[in-house]
Structure formats: structure tokens, C-alpha cells
Amino acid sequence: MSPLEQTAHTAIELLKKYQVSDYEISLGSSSGVSTVVRLGEVETLQYHLDKSFDVNVFFGKKKGHASSVDISKASLEKTIESACLIAKYTQEDTFNGLAPKELMAFDRPNLDMYHPWDLDAQRSIKLAKICEETALAQDEIGNSEGAEVSSFQGQGLYANSNDLIAMQNSTSHSLNCSLIAKRGDDMQTAYEYTTALDATDLETPQQVGEKVAKLAQQKLGARSIESQKCPVIFTPRLSGGLFSSLLGALSGSSQYKKSTFLLNSIDKIILPEDISLFENPFAKKTLGAKSMDRDGVLKREQYFVEHGRVKSFIMGQYSANQLGLKTTANAGGVNNVIIKENFDGGLDEMIKAMDKGLVVTELMGQGVNGTTGDYSRGALGFWVENGEIQYPVSGLTIAGNLKAMLLGIVHVGNDVDYRSNIKVGSVLINQMTIAGE
């Protein structure tokens, strides 16, 4: 039995004293190293060792929650006692309660998520330095905001009064670099990263350094354009955000709170009919994959949108109770959502197909209203004419309404960004309003 499992059994024994009607506990233990190098010097070198304990207790329909970063027996008991005290002074909520026992993740697939990296301090410093040196060696790169290497491994345990005790191990490794390109008085920043569950799947420091330098160089000489309406391409790094807004609008909580532009949208067309949103949580060795949700419910493969039509809201047990529906095993969010391409090509081919319009490579601000669907954000990228990039642009605002934007998707490319929980390529929208000069 692992130390985390022993701690869980201790907590479960302590819970019996308080005669709770139901409980759920989460335990976490993680360790890691992160190193930041800037201009060849080590700025920070950190070792991380974190533990956590969360408990929800139920007395009928009354619920109490407490958490701690100390998992000693004395701290467990104090945390449980605090949760019980909170529950007794909390109003009843008829929608509280665990998911049904038959939905629990007693039989979970192995998703191959655990790949520790034996990364010591010297190795992490060397990798960060190589990345930054490669970037600084490129033309017109004037300064660096640093390169960072990090590696984390952890164990998570979830248990509840449905007799479920479930362990999940995972790792996460990354390398990133941020720098500044300069041409005369014009300075532009850029950021690039690689991340993976297995360090052998990371891009090399040289690749990251070359990519971030190229991104910064391409932004030099940016100008504005006239205000107009035109087609817009979102690059894969950004296009996931569009579908993240869609998924948020379909969440159970936004539905029962009636705070969504897709209210009561089951069986309604919200996307072109050749576009679907499919959750594939059991994909092995994949960022975003997961075998169970935060309620302990076994995940499943499912469509949220199929052939443009809404098939399901996105719910954990609480929001499902609110809506009188069955949980979709999405307490805590979605896991590895795939938007399959409907276009034979990536960004370059899509630029040719668009002929004239805007390629957006960066967005600024949080101008997305989930209730109305209104969308307005600062943007920069490239202006396209005759199917070719003409020059970089900045100082723009792009605006529209998500309902029209989603229905106006013409192409989804095959240049998928696998670093995201939402796997999607470049996206071409038929028209948005551009505010420039």
C-alpha cells in the first residue's frame, strides 16, 4: 500500500467518528524542479514538494468543505472537523450528493500518463541555456526574458463513501523561452514552448530557441490596417479558445444559471454540419486525457456536438442534479476534446484558400461575454492578400458574436496543436469586424 493510500485509510477511519452520511476526499503529492535562465545566468532554481488534502462531507443535503497542505494525522482530523462544522451551519441544498455508485470508476484503464524524468539541477540549467543561446544567436534578437525548464511528477488519490479508492499517477515536463526582437526603435516580444508527459517527446532546446526567434522576427515592422469586415484565420495556438468558449456555454452550470448564449440548445445547430466536438478521454499518453472525473465517475467517449448539432450539455453530478439529467462525467471540465478537420491542409493552405483577410496569431484582453456571446479582443497577426502574407499587423481589435462566428467557420485545418486539451488546427471564419486605423 502506498503512503497516499495509507493516508486515505486514516482519513476514512477518522470520518467514521463524525457519522457523516457521505464523504469524498482528494489527496495529492507532487514533486519537481524548475529552472529559469536569463542572459546566460541562473535566475531561479526551485525544487518543489507539495502535498494536499481536500474533504467534502455531507450530512443529508448539507455539505461542508475544508482543505489542508499538511497530511499528518492531526491535520487530517482538524480538517475533517472543520468541514463537519461548516456543514452543520450551511443551508441544505437539495442538489447536493454523490454520483450513483454504479457510475463510479472502479475499473479504470491505464492511460500511460506517468513518465518521470531524472532531471537534476545541472541538466536543467544546461537545457535552458542552450535554448536561450540558440534564440539570441538569431538575427535581430536583442534581449531575452528568459528560458525555463520544468519537470513535475505526482500522485493523486480520490475516495468516497461509495467504496471507491482510485489512484492516478502523472507527469508533466516543459521547456519555454521568451525574448525580444529589435529593429531600430521597433521592439517585439515572442514566447514559445514545448510540453509533454514524457520528456523524450519534448522538442529540443534548439528547436524551441529557433521557433521563438522566428516568431519575434516576423512581428517586426508591424503596421495597422483600415477598419473593415473580412475573413479571419485563428492559428492553432488560438483556435482552441473559440471552442473553449463554446464548451463553457454548454456547461451544466451556465445552463442552470441561465448565463449562456447557448441556453437550452440541445438538438440545435450551432456549428456547420461537417464539424463535431468529440471527447476522447481514454487516449493513451495524451495531454488532457483522464480516466475519471472529480466526482469519481468513469469517463466515457462522447460527442458534445455532432455534425453541428448539440448532443449534450457538459455536466458533473451537481449540475446534472440541477438540470434533472444524468452526469456526463465532466466534473472538473472536459478531457481531450477533438475537433476533426474538414480541410485538407494547414495554415499555409488555408491562407491561400482565404485569399484576402487577417491571420490572428495573438490575442489580448478578456473581451468574451459568455452570456451574450459578444466577442471583442485586441489582436495582432498578418495581413493576407492574393493568398499570401503581405506584412505583420498590430493595434487591432477584432469583434463579432460567438453564435455567428461558430456558424461562420469555413475551414478547420489539420495542423493540430497537440499541446492543448482541445485538439484543433487553424480555423477560418467567414467574416469578423476589424477595427484598425
Side-chain angles (χ1 to χ4, degrees):
M1 188 183 293
S2 72
L4 222 55
E5 287 173 306
Q6 290 174 344
T7 303
H9 283 289
T10 299
I12 290 167
E13 285 301 310
L14 290 169
L15 279 158
K16 289 177 181 177
K17 293 192 336 187
Y18 293 91
Q19 298 181 316
V20 300
S21 51
D22 278 305
Y23 66 81
E24 52 184 353
I25 62 173
S26 297
L27 284 157
S29 175
S30 65
S31 60
V33 60
S34 58
T35 304
V36 177
V37 167
R38 182 173 178 271
L39 299 177
E41 299 295 325
V42 178
E43 279 208 333
T44 60
L45 173 60
Q46 293 180 304
Y47 285 95
H48 307 265
L49 186 61
D50 301 302
K51 296 183 186 297
S52 63
F53 172 63
D54 286 82
V55 59
N56 290 320
V57 298
F58 298 88
F59 292 90
K61 294 297 182 180
K62 291 186 172 186
K63 176 184 173 182
H65 170 80
S67 61
S68 173
V69 294
D70 179 356
I71 61 172
S72 66
K73 184 175 180 180
S75 178
L76 294 178
E77 181 150 32
K78 189 172 181 181
T79 307
I80 290 167
E81 184 181 6
S82 299
C84 292
L85 189 65
I86 291 167
K88 287 178 179 177
Y89 286 96
T90 300
Q91 282 190 330
E92 282 195 357
D93 184 339
T94 56
F95 303 110
N96 277 336
L98 300 183
K101 187 169 183 175
E102 63 268 20
L103 299 180
M104 293 293 108
F106 292 111
D107 186 17
R108 300 174 305 283
N110 177 6
L111 301 183
D112 193 23
M113 306 286 281
Y114 189 64
H115 298 271
W117 186 13
D118 186 17
L119 181 70
D120 60 24
Q122 285 186 322
R123 175 75 174 145
S124 68
I125 292 167
K126 182 180 178 182
L127 292 171
K129 282 186 174 181
I130 291 171
C131 182
E132 186 185 51
E133 286 167 2
T134 302
L136 288 171
Q138 309 305 309
D139 293 341
E140 299 183 304
I141 303 303
N143 203 347
S144 168
E145 295 180 337
E148 179 177 8
V149 177
S150 65
S151 173
F152 292 91
Q153 61 184 39
Q155 285 185 317
L157 182 146
Y158 173 87
N160 64 28
S161 46
N162 277 329
D163 300 324
L164 176 68
I165 298 180
M167 288 274 294
Q168 296 189 104
N169 297 339
S170 62
T171 51
S172 174
H173 317 294
S174 66
L175 167 64
N176 66 69
C177 185
S178 181
L179 48 74
I180 301 167
K182 190 172 188 298
R183 183 187 297 160
D185 294 331
D186 184 12
M187 290 195 294
Q188 299 287 347
T189 62
Y191 170 82
E192 184 57 282
Y193 71 101
T194 177
T195 184
L197 303 173
D198 185 340
T200 61
D201 294 327
L202 292 172
E203 292 185 304
T204 66
Q206 292 91 339
Q207 286 173 319
V208 175
E210 288 170 1
K211 280 187 176 182
V212 70
K214 186 177 179 181
L215 288 172
Q217 290 162 345
Q218 289 173 335
K219 292 163 69 174
L220 290 168
R223 55 182 110 161
S224 190
I225 54 175
E226 291 182 358
S227 296
Q228 59 190 286
K229 291 184 177 180
C230 68
V232 172
I233 294 173
F234 289 84
T235 59
R237 197 155 159 176
L238 303 177
S239 57
L242 291 172
F243 292 99
S244 179
S245 295
L246 185 162
L247 291 164
L250 292 179
S251 72
S253 61
S254 68
Q255 293 293 326
Y256 73 72
K257 292 174 183 174
K258 302 187 187 306
S259 58
T260 168
F261 68 95
L262 294 178
L263 186 64
N264 300 325
S265 53
I266 292 290
D267 212 35
K268 291 181 181 175
I269 293 285
I270 63 165
L271 285 168
E273 292 187 10
D274 56 355
I275 299 176
S276 300
L277 272 65
F278 180 68
E279 185 182 36
N280 182 19
F282 297 143
K284 289 195 170 187
K285 203 179 181 184
T286 299
L287 288 164
K290 212 167 188 182
S291 61
M292 67 179 192
D293 77 350
R294 285 187 187 169
D295 292 335
V297 176
L298 183 68
K299 296 289 294 184
R300 60 178 177 269
E301 296 178 355
Q302 59 191 327
Y303 284 96
F304 298 126
V305 180
E306 188 173 15
H307 301 309
R309 192 181 299 273
V310 177
K311 301 292 288 184
S312 169
F313 295 137
I314 299 166
M315 300 169 288
Q317 188 60 45
Y318 182 81
S319 56
N321 289 345
Q322 285 269 7
L323 295 168
L325 299 170
K326 184 179 177 182
T327 178
T328 57
N330 289 108
V334 298
N335 298 97
N336 195 42
V337 171
I338 297 164
I339 297 92
K340 188 168 174 57
E341 72 271 11
N342 65 356
F343 179 72
D344 185 20
L347 181 61
D348 291 343
E349 292 79 11
M350 203 174 288
I351 286 170
K352 289 174 186 171
M354 178 174 68
D355 189 55
K356 182 180 179 180
L358 177 68
V359 176
V360 179
T361 57
E362 288 184 43
L363 291 165
M364 291 152 283
Q366 301 297 319
V368 184
N369 188 319
T371 303
T372 64
D374 290 337
Y375 186 102
S376 178
R377 299 186 70 182
L380 51 86
F382 300 98
W383 182 248
V384 171
E385 288 187 23
N386 301 317
E388 293 182 355
I389 289 175
Q390 300 299 312
Y391 46 81
V393 291
S394 64
L396 308 177
T397 300
I398 60 172
N401 185 276
L402 282 165
K403 266 191 174 180
M405 290 164 63
L406 294 169
L407 283 168
I409 293 174
V410 181
H411 296 312
V412 177
N414 60 13
D415 50 341
V416 176
D417 188 343
Y418 290 99
R419 300 172 296 185
S420 170
N421 185 33
I422 299 175
K423 309 294 193 296
V424 61
S426 297
V427 170
L428 170 61
I429 294 174
N430 60 358
Q431 182 175 277
M432 292 186 70
T433 299
I434 314 298
E437 291 178 335

